[in-house]
Amino acid sequence: MPELSGARPGVTILRTTFVVVGVLALVLGLIGMRKLPPERDWFDTWYYTLQLFVLGSDPLQEPTAALSWQLQCARFLAPLFTLATVVETGRVLLAGEVRKLRSRTARRHAVVCGDTPFAEALAQQLFAAGRRVVVVRAAPFGPLELRHRRLLGVFGDARSPEVLRAAGLRRARYLYVCSDDDQFNHAVSVTAGTALQLRRTSPWIYVRLNRQQTCHLLQARRLGAAGSNRFRLDYFHVDDVAARMLYLRHPLPVPAPGGPPARLLISGDGSFPRVLLVETARYWRSVGGHPDQLHIDVIGADAGRTLATLLARFPFLDSVCRVRAYNELLDTWLPRISRPARYDRIYLCHRDEGRMLDLALESTELWQAVGEAVFVAAYEASALADAFHGGEHNDLLDEVGGKLQVYPIIARACDPQLIADDLTERLARRFHQRYLDTARGSASPASAVAWAELSESMRNANRAQVQGIAAKMRALGCVIAVRNGEDGLITERELEVLAELEHRRWCDERTSRGWRHGPARDERRRRHPDLVAWGELGEPGREKARDAVRYMTQILADEGFTIVRLHEPVRVTAA
């Protein structure tokens, strides 16, 4: 990964070349001046040689003899070195202004706001992925920073519209707000939203929050307002991103049919063990694991209440795996772990990182009680993780036969691709998968492909379906809230209203892409028989719209949300 303070190889080679030219011109000039009559002492020789670097030398104005080849070369090389020096000096002096201009005129780039290690690591990740990056921070940049061509910088308060404008916000592709102050992050997002009002295309905005519960709550509020503006905004927490990354880097094998189940132990306090438990269940469902093939033990001082809260929020949890909670501390649990290996994996996710690291390094019971590895989740031990897992030939410390894994949460969470895989993207992907499951043989060749192979226009159609949830909630007089055990039930009349709204949204989206009504579906001519008003739509088309509404409530529940009615059930039509 490139460092912020490194110099570009091309610039280094060019500077080295000109230094060599300057030294060569000086040496050849001294030799040539000594050969040029009349004979001179060394002071005159040095004086006249140095004059070559200022485009002239007195003895060369009226030469008394033919010039030697050394002097011929020197009188061309010396001015060349002088010109290069002037150009480089001007470039260094104007580098700040040039960098500001390039930041302001950048296009399709990423803007990263924040003075935190997370923001710096995220900027490095984006740059390593080949994207142009503009860093906005309040602290002044050092003299050796931002030397890369694509890594630009703006110094100032990101809450100021002028600073965001200087970072090229309106032409950016992504905006990441990553300070340690949530109120600052909210202020930046508001400033960006004001600057992007009514724009046809806007960057995707990702705001980091430092409380996982608040992040989930605000995601619900954003989902209910996503249709009121054009730009895309999502909140993320490092625990959520790091938990998803864990199973990308360390997939959990599915046991063979009839074999013993996979057994996991999650121990800890704070938000990460809760997030990890839910993400483990999601991962197991995505790989097609059977519920009886995954057993998870959760231990902690308040493990029972934590599990009850998660089961009330995420109804799919106990249908995907078998989870048991024990209100005990790890110290009292360890002596009762049977050997040989009782667990395939053990996750230690405690706030006291130092104590957990010491325990993982010294406890032979842990090493013997696990079949695969003990994962120690740490926010501040990324350097120690590199020392353990630096690579096949670059690891400095023994991993206890691979059974010790220090998992740096902050370092794993600054992954641009996973941050971009936000709530809107996940719901859109679920809608598309639902379409593939239900359409089967009737799906068009352009849309009957996996999400990774889907065209951007087709992806936007699924994203529009997610953003249309807000309009449906307003039509019902309902809002989206975090689920606490009960789902908001939609009456048959409300289902019909929402289905009509969904059909109207679908017609508008198709019409905007050039589709028109036709007697039969025709991909080439963009014709579809369902592009008619709700009153003219046949029953099969209406059932498709109803099915989309039913599935909407299901995927909201899977994300921990529910529909809350603020008033009595609606008695109005979709119009």
Side-chain angles (χ1 to χ4, degrees), residues 222-371:
R222 177 58 189 168
L223 193 59
S228 61
N229 47 58
R230 292 181 177 272
F231 68 89
R232 179 167 162 179
L233 168 68
D234 189 53
Y235 299 94
F236 72 94
H237 190 272
V238 294
D239 288 351
D240 297 317
V241 183
R244 283 185 283 152
M245 176 59 78
L246 190 149
Y247 287 108
L248 289 177
R249 297 178 67 96
H250 307 280
L252 185 62
V254 178
R263 297 182 59 86
L264 308 181
L265 171 66
I266 299 178
S267 171
D269 46 20
S271 63
F272 189 70
R274 298 194 296 266
V275 171
L276 181 60
L277 176 58
V278 176
E279 189 57 37
T280 302
R282 286 199 181 112
Y283 171 80
W284 195 251
R285 181 175 59 181
S286 69
V287 298
H290 192 274
D292 292 330
Q293 291 181 306
L294 179 62
H295 294 181
I296 303 177
D297 290 341
V298 180
I299 65 172
D302 204 14
R305 189 168 67 173
T306 298
L307 179 59
T309 301
L310 293 178
L311 290 173
R313 181 160 300 176
F314 301 97
F316 73 93
L317 193 58
D318 60 349
S319 65
V320 172
C321 55
R322 303 292 177 250
V323 188
R324 293 179 299 179
Y326 301 90
N327 294 326
E328 294 193 48
L329 298 179
L330 184 61
D331 294 339
T332 60
W333 183 260
L334 274 179
R336 298 207 307 271
I337 296 180
S338 60
R339 294 182 292 272
R342 177 176 176 179
Y343 294 102
D344 294 276
R345 291 185 180 182
I346 295 177
Y347 297 105
L348 303 182
C349 317
H350 294 254
R351 291 191 182 98
D352 191 346
E353 296 179 14
R355 179 174 171 272
M356 282 301 100
L357 282 170
D358 291 345
L359 178 64
L361 290 172
E362 72 178 359
S363 176
T364 58
E365 290 90 348
L366 275 177
W367 305 343
Q368 296 168 344
V370 69

